[in-house]
């Protein structure tokens, strides 16, 4: 039963709105579209059926980091049959995952959309038998969405070639237009559509008008004062991120920057430290947060206006996933609107550029096809590499070209049977065209056999499977089919019109945001209506308009009040125990090579430190831990709670270091009394080394005080 899986694996007592309905439809084999707000619990809608079904579930997601975290969390719950395939894996790792898929060891496979551009991958999935095809963040298929991904357009083709398994599409973007687009573009068959309410009563919406750029910092500090971190500040440019971070740090806020310009190691380090509350505020471009499932984000401030209302709902929705009161604030400055609009013109390719790119493609087509390595597209069109990708997409959107499965660039072959019998005509033609041994480019083979490259590749693949030959494919080619080669006036107008309608759609989205900012009625209701939700909520008591807040004067700069984690539980958190739990979790995370929050969330640790479970069963009843995870860590945690065990079986001689580490964290958090108790424990060992270490620590803190 779905409910049993929910309890046992995920540790939740009941379903959230919509979840059960989606799960039932999916288990009935129906195509389904689930529209739920960010944080509404969409992942469970496919994870529960996937765990209940015997067949393979394929989940397409645009976010590698998100996939990795979800799988790490599943593994924590002893679900070992989940895996991910993305371009970040080495060939060996990918091979190993594909092997486990073939042998049926894997039940849940997360893949990046571009993986499904590989025909042999799709065929190998088909042989394994896909029972459910999940499209997460399904609005990425819509060119009207705020996050269009051209590779999503290819998914319906892959679904068909997988044997048309049931499809579950999920999104938080619910404008009626995007919803229709998903159903049509994904070719959902008579789908069950489940839309839950979009009202998030615990979020308060505010807009603050900012006249001068430098006032933004004061506004952010104002938010921090009334609604203590953790929180996220979104900025438009990297420079703005860095300036605001520096300003916040000068005011004593523990802030860090996150944007695409940082190395991936640094980005994951910032994310990890935010997840474990080592960083209080992340100032980021929109690159941050897609995969961040942090329950206790208390505020999301947009330091510049968001790009669209759907984008805003998604970004602001990262606040308050735990249901506790949280703030969503937009800082509105007129100049920023102009800047946003200029970004649109900069990003858009001009009609003449697209045309000349198309002519270059048409110049090298053979029988209406162009097969070139992705890297050479740019050279072909005489444009930058990034621009080539954008134009290809623009032509695909205009319906001038279609892009098929990617092809191998070349294959190295060794014939196993010299004169195989019973081959179909096509396969025999390819076999006859093969060299005796060695490598040959696929386009050459196509020329020799008189067949299309895609057909050649299919034939090679068939022969590999049948043991007729051994082949090692190398490299990849983009396979483009031109639907026409002449650009007549009608097509020109079509391209120009499409580009224009894209531009005007983008402008319209900014106008929507402007209208939102200038509202004189309930902001919450306005947002709900924009997403087709008809619930009456005004007056809502949760937006600046309904609260009757007049345009507030710019706050005076000051130091934010000390930042304490907020918690709703009745019993107080045992701070020392909490710190010990964090040390233990750090050890677990290092040992298992996963981020700390994957082992247990901070909210779990706080709950443990407050409720002090005495049995594994009690531990398992804490929300979100789950019986399996409780079984895995229960004995150790229960022993720590009862004070019987030091964290993670470190050797006894080392235990004073544990206490020292905990004491240091407590001192940093300004909890002197708790720290003293911990230092006393460190000294209990009577060890000379411990005494010196304690002295050192105290001296260090005394020095800090006097210099501060
Ligand atoms: P979405 O993908 O819709 O943004 P997620 O699937 O990431 O949301 O879930 C958001 C949070 O809600 C997660 O922390 C998840 O564990 C939690 N959650 C999901 N379903 C339930 C439930 N039935 N009861 C309690 N918490 C849930
Ligand atoms: Mg999600």
């Amino acid at each position: 039963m779905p409910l049993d899986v929910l309890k046992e694996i995920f540790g939740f007592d009941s379903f959230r709105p919509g979840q059960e309905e989606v799960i039932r439809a999916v288990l009935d084999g129906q195509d389904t579209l689930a529209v739920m707000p960010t944080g509404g619990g969409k992942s469970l809608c496919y994870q529960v059926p996937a765990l209940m079904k015997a067949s393979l579930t394929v989940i397409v997601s645009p976010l590698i980091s998100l996939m990795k975290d979800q799988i790490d969390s599943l593994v924590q719950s002893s679900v070992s049959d989940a895996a991910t395939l993305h371009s970040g894996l080495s060939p060996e790792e990918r091979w190993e995952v594909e092997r486990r898929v073939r042998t049926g060891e894997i039940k849940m496979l997360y893949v990046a959309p571009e993986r499904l551009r590989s025909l042999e991958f799709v065929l190998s999935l088909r042989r394994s038998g896909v029972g459910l095809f999940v499209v997460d963040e399904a609005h990425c298929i819509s060119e009207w969405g705020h996050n269009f991904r051209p590779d999503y357009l290819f998914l319906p083709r892959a679904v068909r070639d997988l044997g048309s398994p049931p499809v579950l599409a999920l999104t938080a973007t619910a404008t009626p237009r995007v919803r229709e687009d998903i159903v049509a573009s994904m070719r959902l068959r008579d789908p069950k559509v489940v839309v839950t309410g979009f009202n998030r009563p615990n979020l308060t919406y505010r807009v603050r008008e900012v006249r001068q750029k430098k006032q933004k910092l004061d506004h952010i500090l104002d938010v921090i004062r009334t609604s203590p971190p953790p929180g996220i500040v979104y900025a438009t440019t990297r420079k703005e991120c860095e300036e605001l971070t520096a300003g916040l740090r000068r005011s004593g806020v523990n802030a860090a920057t996150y944007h695409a310009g940082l190395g991936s190691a640094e980005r994951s380090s910032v994310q990890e430290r935010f997840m474990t509350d080592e960083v209080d505020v992340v100032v980021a471009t929109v690159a941050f947060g897609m995969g961040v499932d942090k329950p206790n984000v208390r505020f999301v401030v947009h330091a510049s206006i968001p790009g669209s209302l759907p984008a805003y709902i998604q970004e602001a929705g990262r606040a308050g996933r735990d249901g506790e009161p949280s703030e969503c604030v937009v800082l509105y400055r007129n100049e920023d609107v102009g800047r946003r609009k200029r970004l649109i013109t900069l990003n858009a390719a001009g009609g003449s550029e697209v045309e000349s790119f198309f002519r270059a493609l048409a110049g090298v087509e053979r029988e209406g096809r162009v097969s070139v390595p992705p890297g050479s597209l740019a050279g072909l069109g005489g444009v930058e590499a990034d621009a080539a990708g954008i134009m290809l997409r623009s032509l695909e959107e205009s319906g001038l070209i279609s892009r098929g499965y990617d092809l191998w660039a070349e294959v190295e072959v060794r014939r196993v049977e010299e004169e195989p019998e019973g081959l179909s005509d096509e396969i025999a033609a390819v076999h006859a065209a093969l060299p005796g041994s060695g490598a040959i480019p696929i386009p050459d083979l196509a020329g020799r056999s008189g067949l299309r490259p895609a057909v050649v590749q299919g034939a090679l693949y068939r022969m590999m499977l049948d043991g007729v030959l051994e082949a090692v494919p190398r490299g990849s080619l983009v396979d483009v089919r031109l639907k026409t080669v002449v650009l007549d006036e009608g097509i020109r107008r079509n391209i120009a019109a499409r580009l224009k309608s894209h531009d005007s759609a983008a402008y319209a989205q900014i106008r929507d945001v402007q209208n939102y900012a200038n509202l004189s009625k309930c902001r919450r209701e306005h947002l709900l209506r924009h997403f087709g939700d008809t619930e009456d909520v005004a007056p809502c008591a949760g937006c600046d308009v309904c609260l009757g807040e007049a345009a507030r004067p710019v706050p005076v700069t000051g130091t934010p009040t000390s930042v304490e984690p907020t918690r709703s539980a009745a019993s107080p958190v045992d701070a020392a125990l909490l710190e010990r739990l964090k040390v233990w979790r750090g050890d677990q995370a290092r040992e298992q090579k996963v981020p700390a929050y994957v082992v247990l969330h901070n909210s779990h640790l706080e709950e443990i430190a407050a409720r002090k479970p005495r049995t594994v069963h009690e531990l398992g009843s804490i929300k979100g831990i789950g019986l399996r995870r409780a079984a895995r860590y229960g004995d150790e945690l229960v022993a720590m709670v009862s004070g019987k065990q030091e964290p993670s079986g470190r050797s006894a001689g080392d235990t004073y270091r544990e206490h020292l580490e905990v004491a240091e964290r407590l001192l940093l958090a300004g909890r002197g009394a708790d720290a003293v108790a911990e230092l006393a424990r460190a000294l209990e060992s009577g060890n000379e080394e411990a005494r010196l270490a304690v002295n050192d620590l105290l001296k260090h803190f005394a020095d800090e005080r006097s210099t501060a």
Side-chain angles (χ1 to χ4, degrees):
M1 288 302 287
L3 195 59
D4 299 330
V5 175
L6 184 76
K7 285 188 178 152
E8 186 187 343
I9 310 279
F10 298 97
F12 300 132
D13 290 335
S14 57
F15 283 111
R16 294 230 182 114
Q19 284 179 328
E20 200 166 8
E21 212 180 338
V22 173
I23 291 169
R24 293 212 178 281
V26 167
L27 288 173
D28 280 349
Q30 238 187 314
D31 278 1
T32 307
L33 170 63
V35 187
M36 296 181 185
T38 308
K42 289 185 284 298
S43 321
L44 273 182
C45 293
Y46 54 80
Q47 289 171 338
V48 170
L51 291 171
M52 294 176 68
K53 284 166 87 89
S55 53
L56 175 67
T57 295
V58 172
I59 301 131
V60 179
S61 163
L63 305 158
I64 293 176
S65 65
L66 177 66
M67 294 198 275
K68 218 187 139 302
D69 282 359
Q70 287 208 349
I71 288 168
D72 289 344
S73 320
L74 285 168
V75 170
Q76 290 295 315
S77 304
S78 306
V79 176
S80 57
D81 40 11
T84 166
L85 272 180
H86 56 76
S87 50
L89 296 182
S90 70
E92 291 75 23
E93 288 168 325
R94 187 177 318 158
W95 181 249
E96 172 60 13
V97 172
E98 291 184 0
R99 186 191 64 73
R100 287 171 59 212
V101 171
R102 272 197 305 280
T103 57
E105 280 168 65
I106 286 179
K107 283 281 137 55
M108 242 185 276
L109 183 67
Y110 287 75
V111 299
E114 57 273 15
R115 260 324 267 156
L116 293 157
R117 289 257 189 202
S118 155
L119 179 62
E120 73 273 16
F121 177 60
V122 169
L123 292 178
S124 80
L125 287 182
R126 183 181 177 135
R127 269 199 314 281
S128 309
V130 175
L132 173 62
F133 191 89
V134 178
V135 185
D136 202 3
E137 314 286 347
H139 56 276
C140 291
I141 200 173
S142 168
E143 42 180 311
W144 308 112
H146 57 283
N147 198 6
F148 176 55
R149 297 271 188 137
D151 281 323
Y152 266 64
L153 289 174
F154 195 69
L155 297 179
R157 166 90 183 267
V159 170
R160 190 194 68 192
D161 293 343
L162 284 171
S164 303
V167 175
L168 166 62
L170 308 119
T171 182
T173 303
T175 58
R177 181 170 197 179
V178 170
R179 224 184 281 170
E180 285 158 21
D181 227 15
I182 294 172
V183 171
S185 310
M186 271 315 298
R187 297 184 208 138
L188 301 185
R189 295 144 292 190
D190 187 19
K192 168 107 182 158
V193 179
V194 179
V195 184
T196 61
F198 269 69
N199 189 15
R200 302 264 314 266
N202 61 317
L203 301 187
T204 302
Y205 299 97
R206 291 192 163 88
V207 176
R208 296 275 179 252
E209 187 168 350
V210 181
R211 297 240 155 65
Q212 287 166 334
K213 201 168 144 196
K214 61 178 197 297
Q215 295 172 333
K216 287 184 179 179
L217 182 62
D218 293 339
H219 277 288
I220 297 171
L221 289 170
D222 194 34
V223 173
I224 294 179
R225 261 188 297 273
T226 52
S227 180
I232 302 174
V233 176
Y234 283 113
T236 328
T237 61
R238 297 173 189 183
K239 186 158 161 270
E240 192 174 26
C241 286
E242 274 155 17
E243 285 170 2
L244 287 173
T245 305
L248 287 171
R249 296 184 74 100
R250 271 196 304 277
S251 307
V253 177
N254 176 8
T257 300
Y258 183 107
H259 57 63
L262 303 174
S264 71
E266 192 166 356
R267 286 206 306 268
S268 25
S269 146
V270 171
Q271 174 162 345
E272 155 108 37
R273 283 183 292 139
F274 182 61
M275 296 301 277
T276 54
D277 290 341
E278 282 168 64
V279 160
D280 289 331
V281 177
V282 174
V283 187
T285 57
V286 292
F288 181 73
M290 283 262 265
V292 174
D293 173 19
K294 183 173 171 62
N296 61 338
V297 173
R298 291 283 72 91
F299 62 82
V300 172
V301 177
H302 280 73
S304 296
I305 58 159
S308 68
L309 283 185
Y312 182 59
I313 279 296
Q314 191 139 32
E315 286 151 22
R318 289 175 191 138
R321 284 188 198 239
D322 55 6
E324 297 294 317
S326 309
E327 292 282 320
C328 308
V329 182
V330 174
L331 304 183
Y332 183 85
R333 180 171 165 258
N334 242 325
E335 283 78 355
D336 292 342
V337 178
R339 199 171 55 174
R340 270 276 175 201
K341 288 187 176 160
R342 281 196 295 283
L343 278 179
I344 296 176
T345 2
L346 279 180
N347 286 338
S352 60
E353 285 171 284
V354 177
E355 277 179 29
S356 65
F357 185 72
F358 179 76
R359 282 214 190 79
L361 281 178
V364 294
E365 60 87 27
R366 266 168 46 190
E367 293 178 41
R369 301 224 161 221
V370 177
S371 314
V372 292
S376 71
L377 274 173
L380 190 64
V383 292
E384 305 276 324
D386 282 354
I390 293 172
M391 295 198 190
L392 209 55
R393 157 183 138 183
S394 185
L395 291 171
E396 198 169 6
E397 282 172 25
S398 310
L400 281 177
I401 64 166
S402 66
R403 215 180 126 183
Y405 285 106
D406 282 352
L407 299 172
W408 305 329
E410 62 170 32
V411 338
E412 183 164 337
V413 288
R414 197 175 66 80
R415 294 163 188 254
V416 176
E417 290 177 47
E418 272 314 315
E419 283 174 31
E421 313 241 307
L423 299 183
S424 73
D425 289 352
E426 269 175 6
I427 296 182
V430 175
H431 191 265
L434 286 172
S437 67
I440 180 166
I442 297 283
D444 287 5
L445 255 184
R448 284 201 210 179
S449 60
L451 294 167
R452 287 197 286 109
V455 177
V456 168
Q457 181 169 315
L460 286 171
Y461 188 67
R462 192 72 248 167
M463 288 188 277
M464 285 160 72
L465 293 180
D466 294 345
V468 174
L469 56 84
E470 283 173 12
V472 184
R474 292 215 186 86
S476 70
L477 297 177
V478 173
D479 182 34
V480 174
R481 186 162 72 81
L482 304 184
K483 296 190 176 163
T484 171
V485 289
V486 276
L487 268 187
D488 60 29
E489 203 38 51
I491 293 175
R492 277 222 185 86
R493 273 202 300 273
N494 177 341
I495 295 182
R498 284 201 148 246
L499 290 174
K500 196 152 164 262
S501 76
H502 264 258
D503 283 4
S504 44
Y507 284 119
Q509 289 187 324
I510 293 184
R511 266 198 308 280
D512 288 344
V513 177
Q514 269 179 296
N515 291 341
Y516 170 77
N518 294 321
L519 279 179
S520 52
K521 55 186 183 42
C522 179
R523 294 195 203 279
R524 180 185 312 274
E525 189 154 289
H526 183 86
L527 288 174
L528 291 179
R529 294 297 177 269
H530 192 78
F531 297 104
D533 187 326
T534 53
E535 187 183 345
D536 287 320
V537 293
C540 75
C543 74
D544 49 0
V545 180
C546 294
L547 289 168
E549 296 172 358
R552 262 219 244 171
V554 179
V556 279
T557 317
T559 348
T561 46
S562 84
V563 167
E564 285 279 312
T566 43
R567 245 185 43 85
S568 58
S571 38
V573 174
D574 177 336
L577 175 58
L578 180 60
E579 293 309 324
R580 277 202 298 279
L581 290 168
K582 284 186 181 169
V583 171
W584 168 87
R585 179 180 64 174
D587 288 343
Q588 288 291 333
R590 267 189 300 279
E591 233 165 68
Q592 303 178 39
K593 297 196 175 58
V594 296
Y597 57 84
V598 160
V599 178
L600 285 171
H601 268 288
N602 275 3
S603 58
H604 298 145
L605 297 186
E606 282 166 18
E607 216 46 54
I608 296 173
R611 287 174 37 183
K612 304 198 174 169
R614 279 157 310 164
T615 63
V616 173
H617 189 78
E618 268 178 47
L619 178 72
S621 72
I622 290 181
K623 193 175 153 199
I625 291 186
L627 293 180
R628 294 223 197 161
R629 213 161 11 177
R632 176 166 180 178
Y633 299 126
D635 291 339
E636 252 178 285
L637 288 173
V638 168
M640 277 172 72
V641 166
S642 62
K644 288 198 192 95
Q645 187 182 327
E646 297 303 332
S648 18
R650 293 186 187 183
S651 78
D654 272 351
T655 52
Y656 80 86
R657 290 209 187 94
E658 294 288 349
H659 293 300
L660 213 58
E661 209 174 315
V662 172
E664 185 171 353
R665 281 161 173 261
L666 288 167
L667 281 171
L668 283 169
R671 294 171 180 273
D674 292 324
V676 168
E678 218 43 48
L679 288 172
R681 284 198 196 109
L683 290 171
E684 265 168 21
S685 63
N687 176 328
E688 175 63 10
E689 206 180 306
R691 204 180 55 76
L692 291 174
V694 168
N695 272 342
D696 263 4
L697 182 70
L698 291 174
K699 186 165 173 311
H700 173 78
F701 269 88
D703 289 350
E704 291 255 298
R705 276 253 160 114
S706 55
T707 52

